[in-house]
Amino acid sequence: MTNIHIAPYRPEWQPYFEKFNKAWIEKHFVLEAIDNYVLTHPEKAILKDGGEILFALHNQTVIGAVALKKIDNATMELTKMAVDEAFHGLGAGTKLCKSALEKAKELEVKKLVLYTQSALKPALSIYKKFGFQQIPIEQGIYKRADTKMELNIK
């Protein structure tokens, strides 16, 4: 992880945000309308309401991203975490998750939630490592999601 650093959103990096997320979603699932909107319009879908998007860079190359979408004044959704498949195994996902948690604390968020799929074992491992706990999932958020997790931030 020594050659990986995290940087805030830059408009010229939107194509990476879209590319990395579409790659994993289309590999395992079907891209949903909500995904397409968020990935092609992150400024409106995430940033406009006080969310954040962070990028992982390896030797100045953008290799991953994660978003924090504001739900309300106390809660944000950790969403759209993806790492370019060519860079899997370097710890970028862990670093992105850690940086997102640090940003959430900085923003004085009290709780993070996320939606995922139980088949995505590496992602689940990262979330559990940082203390996310599985909770009941409501219907209708994402068709592919079968797992909801939350982390209370102190």
Side-chain angles (χ1 to χ4, degrees), residues 2 5 25 31 34 52-53 59-60 70 80-81 90 92 117 120 138 141 147:
T2 56
H5 75 275
I25 293 169
L31 194 69
I34 185 68
E52 296 280 342
I53 301 174
N59 297 329
Q60 306 306 312
K70 186 175 179 179
K80 301 299 183 251
M81 188 167 82
L90 297 179
Q117 224 293 329
L120 301 174
E138 64 271 35
I141 301 297
T147 303

Side-chain angles (χ1 to χ4, degrees), residues 93-103 126 130:
T94 299
K95 192 140 188 183
L96 281 164
C97 192
K98 181 180 181 191
S99 297
L101 267 76
E102 290 169 356
K103 179 55 78 173
I126 291 170
F130 286 103

Side-chain angles (χ1 to χ4, degrees), residues 18-85:
E18 182 177 351
K19 175 185 166 189
F20 301 152
N21 276 285
K22 280 186 175 180
W24 80 261
I25 293 169
E26 291 174 341
K27 179 178 180 177
H28 300 284
F29 308 103
V30 173
L31 194 69
E32 298 177 37
I34 185 68
D35 297 315
N36 209 36
Y37 175 74
V38 170
L39 296 174
T40 57
H41 300 94
E43 291 91 351
K44 291 178 188 173
I46 295 171
L47 300 174
K48 177 183 74 137
D49 295 325
E52 296 280 342
I53 301 174
L54 304 174
F55 287 87
L57 289 89
H58 179 263
N59 297 329
Q60 306 306 312
T61 300
V62 177
I63 65 165
V66 65
L68 290 168
K69 184 174 191 256
K70 186 175 179 179
I71 295 174
D72 58 41
N73 288 336
T75 310
M76 292 187 101
E77 178 185 352
L78 181 83
T79 187
K80 301 299 183 251
M81 188 167 82
V83 175
D84 184 341
E85 199 167 314

